[in-house]
Coordinates of all heavy atoms in Angstrom, one line a residue:
Chain B
Q512 N -37.8 53.8 -13.0 CA -38.7 54.9 -12.6 C -38.6 56.0 -13.7 O -39.5 56.9 -13.7 CB -38.2 55.5 -11.3 CG -37.1 56.5 -11.3 CD -35.7 55.9 -11.5 OE1 -35.5 55.0 -12.2 NE2 -34.7 56.5 -10.7
G513 N -37.6 55.9 -14.6 CA -37.6 56.9 -15.7 C -36.6 58.0 -15.5 O -36.8 59.1 -16.1
S514 N -35.5 57.8 -14.7 CA -34.6 59.0 -14.5 C -33.9 59.4 -15.8 O -33.7 60.6 -16.0 CB -33.6 58.6 -13.4 OG -32.8 57.5 -13.7
D515 N -33.6 58.4 -16.6 CA -32.9 58.8 -17.9 C -33.9 59.7 -18.7 O -33.5 60.7 -19.3 CB -32.6 57.6 -18.8 CG -31.4 56.8 -18.2 OD1 -30.9 57.2 -17.2 OD2 -31.1 55.8 -18.8
S516 N -35.2 59.3 -18.7 CA -36.2 60.1 -19.4 C -36.4 61.5 -18.8 O -36.4 62.5 -19.6 CB -37.5 59.4 -19.4 OG -37.4 58.1 -19.9
V517 N -36.4 61.6 -17.5 CA -36.6 62.9 -16.9 C -35.4 63.8 -17.2 O -35.6 65.0 -17.6 CB -36.8 62.8 -15.3 CG1 -36.6 64.1 -14.6 CG2 -38.1 62.2 -15.0
L518 N -34.2 63.3 -17.2 CA -33.0 64.1 -17.6 C -33.2 64.6 -19.1 O -32.9 65.8 -19.4 CB -31.8 63.3 -17.5 CG -31.3 63.1 -16.0 CD1 -30.2 62.0 -16.0 CD2 -30.7 64.4 -15.5
A519 N -33.6 63.7 -19.9 CA -33.8 64.1 -21.4 C -34.9 65.1 -21.5 O -34.8 66.1 -22.2 CB -34.1 62.9 -22.2
Y520 N -36.0 65.0 -20.8 CA -37.2 65.9 -20.9 C -36.7 67.3 -20.5 O -37.0 68.3 -21.1 CB -38.4 65.5 -20.0 CG -38.9 64.1 -20.3 CD1 -39.6 63.4 -19.3 CD2 -38.9 63.5 -21.6 CE1 -40.1 62.1 -19.6 CE2 -39.4 62.3 -21.8 CZ -40.0 61.6 -20.8 OH -40.6 60.3 -21.0
L521 N -36.1 67.4 -19.3 CA -35.8 68.7 -18.7 C -34.7 69.4 -19.6 O -34.8 70.6 -19.8 CB -35.3 68.5 -17.3 CG -36.3 68.0 -16.3 CD1 -35.7 67.8 -14.9 CD2 -37.5 68.9 -16.2
T522 N -33.7 68.7 -20.1 CA -32.7 69.3 -20.9 C -33.4 69.7 -22.2 O -33.1 70.8 -22.7 CB -31.6 68.2 -21.2 OG1 -31.1 67.8 -19.9 CG2 -30.5 68.9 -22.0
A523 N -34.2 68.9 -22.8 CA -34.9 69.3 -24.1 C -35.8 70.5 -23.8 O -35.8 71.4 -24.7 CB -35.7 68.1 -24.6
E524 N -36.4 70.6 -22.7 CA -37.3 71.7 -22.4 C -36.4 73.0 -22.4 O -36.8 74.0 -23.0 CB -37.9 71.5 -21.0 CG -38.9 72.6 -20.6 CD -40.2 72.7 -21.5 OE1 -40.8 71.6 -21.6 OE2 -40.5 73.8 -22.0
V525 N -35.3 73.0 -21.7 CA -34.5 74.2 -21.6 C -33.9 74.6 -22.9 O -33.8 75.8 -23.2 CB -33.4 74.0 -20.5 CG1 -32.4 75.1 -20.5 CG2 -34.0 73.7 -19.1
L526 N -33.5 73.6 -23.7 CA -32.8 73.9 -25.0 C -33.7 74.0 -26.2 O -33.3 74.3 -27.3 CB -31.7 72.9 -25.2 CG -30.6 72.8 -24.2 CD1 -29.7 71.6 -24.5 CD2 -29.8 74.1 -24.1
G527 N -35.0 73.8 -26.0 CA -36.0 73.9 -27.1 C -35.8 72.8 -28.1 O -36.1 72.9 -29.3
L528 N -35.5 71.6 -27.6 CA -35.3 70.4 -28.4 C -36.4 69.4 -28.1 O -37.2 69.6 -27.2 CB -33.9 69.8 -28.1 CG -32.7 70.7 -28.4 CD1 -31.4 70.0 -27.9 CD2 -32.6 70.9 -29.9
E529 N -36.3 68.3 -28.8 CA -37.2 67.2 -28.5 C -36.3 66.2 -27.7 O -35.1 66.1 -27.9 CB -37.6 66.5 -29.8 CG -38.5 67.3 -30.7 CD -39.9 67.5 -30.1 OE1 -40.4 66.6 -29.5 OE2 -40.4 68.6 -30.3
P530 N -37.0 65.4 -26.8 CA -36.2 64.5 -26.0 C -35.3 63.5 -26.9 O -34.2 63.1 -26.4 CB -37.2 63.7 -25.2 CG -38.4 64.6 -25.1 CD -38.4 65.4 -26.4
V531 N -35.8 63.2 -28.0 CA -35.0 62.3 -28.9 C -33.7 62.9 -29.3 O -32.7 62.2 -29.7 CB -35.9 61.8 -30.1 CG1 -36.0 63.0 -31.1 CG2 -35.3 60.6 -30.8
D532 N -33.5 64.2 -29.3 CA -32.3 64.9 -29.6 C -31.2 64.8 -28.6 O -30.1 65.1 -28.8 CB -32.5 66.3 -29.9 CG -33.6 66.6 -31.0 OD1 -33.7 65.7 -31.9 OD2 -34.3 67.6 -30.9
V533 N -31.6 64.3 -27.4 CA -30.7 64.3 -26.2 C -30.4 62.9 -25.9 O -31.2 62.0 -25.7 CB -31.4 64.9 -25.0 CG1 -30.5 64.9 -23.8 CG2 -31.9 66.4 -25.4
Q534 N -29.1 62.6 -25.8 CA -28.6 61.2 -25.4 C -28.2 61.3 -24.0 O -27.4 62.1 -23.5 CB -27.4 60.9 -26.2 CG -27.6 60.6 -27.7 CD -27.6 59.1 -28.0 OE1 -28.2 58.4 -27.2 NE2 -27.0 58.7 -29.0
V535 N -28.7 60.3 -23.2 CA -28.4 60.3 -21.8 C -27.3 59.2 -21.5 O -27.5 58.0 -21.9 CB -29.6 60.0 -20.9 CG1 -29.2 60.0 -19.4 CG2 -30.7 61.1 -21.2
F536 N -26.3 59.5 -20.9 CA -25.2 58.5 -20.5 C -25.2 58.5 -19.0 O -24.6 59.4 -18.4 CB -23.9 58.9 -21.1 CG -23.9 59.0 -22.6 CD1 -24.2 60.1 -23.3 CD2 -23.6 57.8 -23.3 CE1 -24.2 60.1 -24.7 CE2 -23.6 57.8 -24.7 CZ -23.9 59.0 -25.4
P537 N -25.8 57.5 -18.4 CA -25.9 57.5 -16.9 C -24.9 56.6 -16.2 O -24.3 55.7 -16.8 CB -27.3 56.9 -16.7 CG -27.4 55.9 -17.8 CD -26.6 56.4 -19.0
A538 N -24.8 56.8 -14.9 CA -24.3 55.9 -13.9 C -23.0 55.2 -14.3 O -22.9 53.9 -14.3 CB -25.4 54.8 -13.7
D539 N -21.9 55.9 -14.6 CA -20.6 55.4 -14.8 C -19.6 56.2 -14.0 O -19.4 57.4 -14.4 CB -20.3 55.4 -16.3 CG -19.0 54.9 -16.7 OD1 -18.0 54.9 -15.9 OD2 -18.8 54.4 -17.8
T540 N -19.1 55.6 -13.0 CA -18.3 56.5 -12.0 C -17.0 57.0 -12.7 O -16.5 58.0 -12.1 CB -17.9 55.7 -10.8 OG1 -17.1 54.6 -11.1 CG2 -19.2 55.2 -10.0
S541 N -16.6 56.5 -13.8 CA -15.4 57.1 -14.4 C -15.8 58.2 -15.4 O -14.9 59.0 -15.8 CB -14.6 56.0 -15.2 OG -14.0 55.2 -14.3
L542 N -17.0 58.3 -15.8 CA -17.4 59.3 -16.8 C -18.4 60.3 -16.3 O -18.4 61.5 -16.7 CB -18.0 58.6 -18.0 CG -17.1 57.7 -18.9 CD1 -17.9 57.1 -20.0 CD2 -15.9 58.5 -19.4
T543 N -19.3 59.9 -15.4 CA -20.4 60.8 -15.1 C -20.1 61.5 -13.7 O -19.6 60.9 -12.8 CB -21.7 60.0 -15.0 OG1 -21.5 58.9 -14.0 CG2 -22.0 59.4 -16.3
P544 N -20.6 62.7 -13.6 CA -20.5 63.4 -12.3 C -21.3 62.6 -11.2 O -22.2 61.9 -11.6 CB -21.2 64.7 -12.5 CG -21.2 64.9 -14.0 CD -21.2 63.6 -14.6
V545 N -20.8 62.7 -10.0 CA -21.4 61.9 -8.9 C -22.9 62.2 -8.7 O -23.3 63.4 -8.7 CB -20.6 62.1 -7.6 CG1 -21.4 61.5 -6.4 CG2 -19.2 61.5 -7.7
D546 N -23.7 61.2 -8.7 CA -25.0 61.3 -8.1 C -25.1 60.2 -7.0 O -24.6 59.1 -7.2 CB -26.1 61.0 -9.1 CG -27.5 61.0 -8.5 OD1 -28.0 62.0 -8.1 OD2 -28.0 59.9 -8.3
L547 N -25.7 60.6 -5.9 CA -25.6 59.7 -4.7 C -26.4 58.4 -4.9 O -26.1 57.4 -4.3 CB -26.1 60.4 -3.5 CG -25.3 61.6 -3.0 CD1 -25.8 62.2 -1.8 CD2 -23.8 61.2 -2.8
G548 N -27.4 58.4 -5.8 CA -28.1 57.1 -6.1 C -29.6 57.3 -6.2 O -30.1 58.3 -5.8
S549 N -30.2 56.2 -6.6 CA -31.6 56.2 -6.7 C -32.3 55.6 -5.5 O -32.6 54.5 -5.3 CB -32.0 55.3 -7.9 OG -31.7 56.0 -9.1
Y550 N -32.4 56.6 -4.5 CA -33.0 56.2 -3.2 C -33.6 57.5 -2.7 O -33.3 58.6 -3.2 CB -32.1 55.6 -2.2 CG -30.9 56.5 -1.8 CD1 -31.1 57.3 -0.7 CD2 -29.8 56.6 -2.5 CE1 -30.0 58.2 -0.3 CE2 -28.8 57.5 -2.2 CZ -28.9 58.2 -1.0 OH -27.9 59.1 -0.6
S551 N -34.5 57.4 -1.7 CA -35.1 58.5 -1.0 C -35.8 59.5 -2.0 O -36.0 60.7 -1.7 CB -34.1 59.3 -0.1 OG -33.5 60.3 -0.8
S552 N -36.3 59.0 -3.1 CA -37.0 59.8 -4.1 C -36.3 61.1 -4.4 O -36.9 62.2 -4.5 CB -38.4 60.1 -3.5 OG -39.3 59.1 -3.8
R553 N -35.0 61.0 -4.6 CA -34.2 62.2 -4.8 C -33.8 62.6 -6.2 O -33.4 63.7 -6.5 CB -32.9 62.1 -3.9 CG -32.1 60.8 -4.2 CD -30.8 60.7 -3.4 NE -30.0 61.8 -3.8 CZ -29.3 61.8 -4.9 NH1 -29.5 60.9 -5.8 NH2 -28.6 62.9 -5.2
V554 N -34.0 61.6 -7.1 CA -33.4 61.8 -8.4 C -34.0 62.8 -9.3 O -33.4 63.7 -9.9 CB -33.3 60.4 -9.2 CG1 -32.7 60.6 -10.6 CG2 -32.4 59.5 -8.4
T555 N -35.4 62.8 -9.4 CA -36.0 63.8 -10.3 C -35.7 65.2 -9.8 O -35.4 66.1 -10.6 CB -37.6 63.5 -10.3 OG1 -37.8 62.4 -11.0 CG2 -38.3 64.7 -10.9
L556 N -35.8 65.4 -8.5 CA -35.5 66.7 -8.0 C -34.0 67.1 -8.1 O -33.7 68.1 -8.7 CB -36.0 66.9 -6.5 CG -35.9 68.3 -6.0 CD1 -37.1 68.7 -5.2 CD2 -34.6 68.5 -5.2
M557 N -33.1 66.3 -7.6 CA -31.7 66.7 -7.5 C -31.0 66.6 -8.8 O -30.4 67.6 -9.2 CB -31.0 65.8 -6.4 CG -31.6 66.0 -5.0 SD -30.6 65.5 -3.7 CE -31.7 65.5 -2.3
C558 N -31.2 65.5 -9.6 CA -30.6 65.4 -10.9 C -31.3 66.4 -11.8 O -30.7 67.0 -12.7 CB -30.7 64.1 -11.5 SG -29.7 62.8 -10.6
G559 N -32.6 66.6 -11.6 CA -33.4 67.5 -12.4 C -32.9 68.9 -12.3 O -32.7 69.6 -13.3
M560 N -32.7 69.3 -11.0 CA -32.2 70.7 -10.8 C -30.8 70.9 -11.4 O -30.5 71.9 -12.0 CB -32.2 71.0 -9.3 CG -33.6 71.1 -8.7 SD -34.7 72.3 -9.4 CE -34.1 73.8 -8.5
A561 N -29.9 69.9 -11.3 CA -28.6 69.9 -11.8 C -28.6 70.0 -13.3 O -27.9 70.8 -14.0 CB -27.7 68.7 -11.4
A562 N -29.5 69.3 -13.9 CA -29.7 69.3 -15.4 C -30.2 70.6 -15.9 O -29.7 71.1 -16.9 CB -30.6 68.1 -15.8
I563 N -31.1 71.2 -15.2 CA -31.6 72.5 -15.6 C -30.5 73.5 -15.5 O -30.4 74.4 -16.4 CB -32.9 72.9 -14.7 CG1 -34.1 72.0 -15.1 CG2 -33.2 74.3 -14.9 CD1 -35.2 72.1 -14.1
Q564 N -29.7 73.5 -14.4 CA -28.6 74.4 -14.3 C -27.6 74.2 -15.5 O -27.2 75.2 -16.1 CB -27.9 74.3 -13.0 CG -26.9 75.3 -12.7 CD -26.1 75.1 -11.4 OE1 -25.5 74.0 -11.2 NE2 -26.2 76.1 -10.5
A565 N -27.2 73.0 -15.7 CA -26.2 72.7 -16.8 C -26.8 73.1 -18.1 O -26.1 73.8 -18.9 CB -25.8 71.2 -16.8
A566 N -28.0 72.7 -18.4 CA -28.6 73.1 -19.7 C -28.8 74.6 -19.9 O -28.6 75.2 -20.9 CB -29.9 72.4 -19.9
G567 N -29.1 75.2 -18.8 CA -29.2 76.7 -18.8 C -27.9 77.4 -19.1 O -27.9 78.4 -19.9
R568 N -26.8 76.9 -18.6 CA -25.5 77.4 -18.9 C -25.1 77.2 -20.3 O -24.5 78.1 -21.0 CB -24.4 76.8 -18.0 CG -24.5 77.3 -16.5 CD -23.7 76.5 -15.6 NE -23.7 77.1 -14.2 CZ -23.2 76.5 -13.1 NH1 -22.7 75.3 -13.2 NH2 -23.3 77.2 -12.0
L569 N -25.4 76.0 -20.9 CA -25.2 75.8 -22.3 C -26.0 76.8 -23.1 O -25.5 77.4 -24.1 CB -25.6 74.3 -22.7 CG -25.6 74.0 -24.1 CD1 -24.2 74.1 -24.8 CD2 -26.1 72.6 -24.4
R570 N -27.3 76.9 -22.7 CA -28.2 77.8 -23.5 C -27.6 79.2 -23.5 O -27.6 79.9 -24.5 CB -29.6 77.7 -22.9 CG -30.6 78.5 -23.7 CD -31.9 78.6 -23.0 NE -31.8 79.1 -21.6 CZ -32.7 79.1 -20.7 NH1 -33.9 78.5 -20.9 NH2 -32.5 79.6 -19.5
D571 N -27.2 79.7 -22.3 CA -26.7 81.1 -22.2 C -25.5 81.3 -23.1 O -25.4 82.3 -23.8 CB -26.3 81.4 -20.7 CG -27.5 81.5 -19.8 OD1 -28.6 81.5 -20.3 OD2 -27.3 81.5 -18.6
A572 N -24.6 80.3 -23.2 CA -23.4 80.4 -24.0 C -23.8 80.5 -25.5 O -23.3 81.3 -26.3 CB -22.5 79.2 -23.8
I573 N -24.8 79.6 -25.9 CA -25.2 79.6 -27.3 C -26.0 80.9 -27.6 O -25.8 81.5 -28.7 CB -26.1 78.4 -27.5 CG1 -25.3 77.1 -27.4 CG2 -26.7 78.4 -28.9 CD1 -26.2 75.8 -27.4
F574 N -26.8 81.4 -26.7 CA -27.5 82.6 -26.9 C -26.6 83.8 -27.1 O -26.8 84.6 -28.0 CB -28.4 82.9 -25.7 CG -29.7 82.3 -25.7 CD1 -30.0 81.2 -26.5 CD2 -30.7 82.7 -24.8 CE1 -31.3 80.6 -26.5 CE2 -32.0 82.0 -24.8 CZ -32.3 81.0 -25.7
K575 N -25.4 83.8 -26.4 CA -24.5 84.9 -26.6 C -24.0 84.9 -28.0 O -23.9 86.0 -28.7 CB -23.3 84.7 -25.6 CG -22.7 86.0 -25.2 CD -21.5 85.7 -24.3 CE -21.8 85.9 -22.8 NZ -20.7 85.7 -21.9
A576 N -23.7 83.7 -28.5 CA -23.1 83.6 -29.9 C -24.2 84.0 -31.0 O -23.9 84.7 -31.9 CB -22.6 82.2 -30.1
V577 N -25.4 83.5 -30.7 CA -26.5 83.7 -31.7 C -26.8 85.2 -31.7 O -27.1 85.8 -32.7 CB -27.7 82.9 -31.4 CG1 -28.9 83.3 -32.2 CG2 -27.4 81.4 -31.6
A578 N -26.8 85.8 -30.5 CA -27.1 87.2 -30.3 C -26.2 88.1 -31.1 O -26.5 89.1 -31.8 CB -27.1 87.6 -28.9
R579 N -24.9 87.7 -31.1 CA -23.9 88.5 -31.9 C -24.2 88.4 -33.4 O -24.1 89.3 -34.1 CB -22.5 88.0 -31.5 CG -21.4 88.9 -32.2 CD -20.1 88.7 -31.5 NE -19.5 87.4 -31.9 CZ -18.3 86.9 -31.5 NH1 -17.6 87.6 -30.6 NH2 -17.9 85.7 -31.9
K580 N -24.5 87.1 -33.8 CA -24.8 86.9 -35.2 C -26.0 87.7 -35.7 O -26.0 88.3 -36.7 CB -25.0 85.4 -35.4 CG -25.4 85.0 -36.8 CD -24.2 84.9 -37.7 CE -24.6 84.5 -39.1 NZ -23.5 84.7 -40.1
L581 N -27.1 87.6 -34.8 CA -28.3 88.3 -35.2 C -28.4 89.8 -34.9 O -29.3 90.5 -35.2 CB -29.5 87.6 -34.6 CG -29.8 86.1 -35.0 CD1 -31.0 85.5 -34.3 CD2 -29.9 85.9 -36.5
E582 N -27.3 90.2 -34.1 CA -27.2 91.6 -33.7 C -28.4 91.9 -32.8 O -29.1 92.9 -33.1 CB -27.0 92.5 -34.9 CG -25.7 92.2 -35.6 CD -25.5 93.1 -36.8 OE1 -26.5 93.6 -37.4 OE2 -24.4 93.3 -37.2
V583 N -28.7 91.1 -31.8 CA -29.8 91.3 -30.9 C -29.3 91.1 -29.5 O -28.2 90.6 -29.3 CB -31.0 90.4 -31.1 CG1 -31.6 90.7 -32.5 CG2 -30.6 88.9 -31.0
D584 N -30.1 91.5 -28.5 CA -29.8 91.3 -27.1 C -30.0 89.8 -26.8 O -31.1 89.3 -27.1 CB -30.7 92.2 -26.3 CG -30.4 92.1 -24.8 OD1 -29.5 91.2 -24.4 OD2 -31.0 92.8 -24.0
P585 N -29.0 89.1 -26.1 CA -29.3 87.7 -25.8 C -30.6 87.5 -25.0 O -31.2 86.5 -25.1 CB -28.1 87.3 -24.9 CG -27.0 88.3 -25.2 CD -27.7 89.6 -25.7

Side-chain angles (χ1 to χ4, degrees):
Chain B
Q512 86 282 42
S514 63
D515 288 1
S516 302
V517 166
L518 285 166
Y520 301 152
L521 295 177
T522 306
E524 182 69 53
V525 172
L526 297 175
L528 298 172
E529 295 291 324
V531 71
D532 303 328
V533 180
Q534 290 258 45
V535 181
F536 297 91
D539 179 332
T540 60
S541 286
L542 294 179
T543 57
V545 168
D546 173 72
L547 295 180
S549 287
Y550 63 94
S551 90
S552 275
R553 51 178 298 288
V554 176
T555 289
L556 186 138
M557 298 197 193
C558 295
M560 294 299 278
I563 289 172
Q564 186 183 60
R568 287 170 174 169
L569 171 63
R570 186 186 56 191
D571 291 348
I573 296 173
F574 275 14
K575 208 183 262 184
V577 173
R579 187 163 74 181
K580 175 79 177 169
L581 298 181
E582 297 176 339
V583 297
D584 181 355

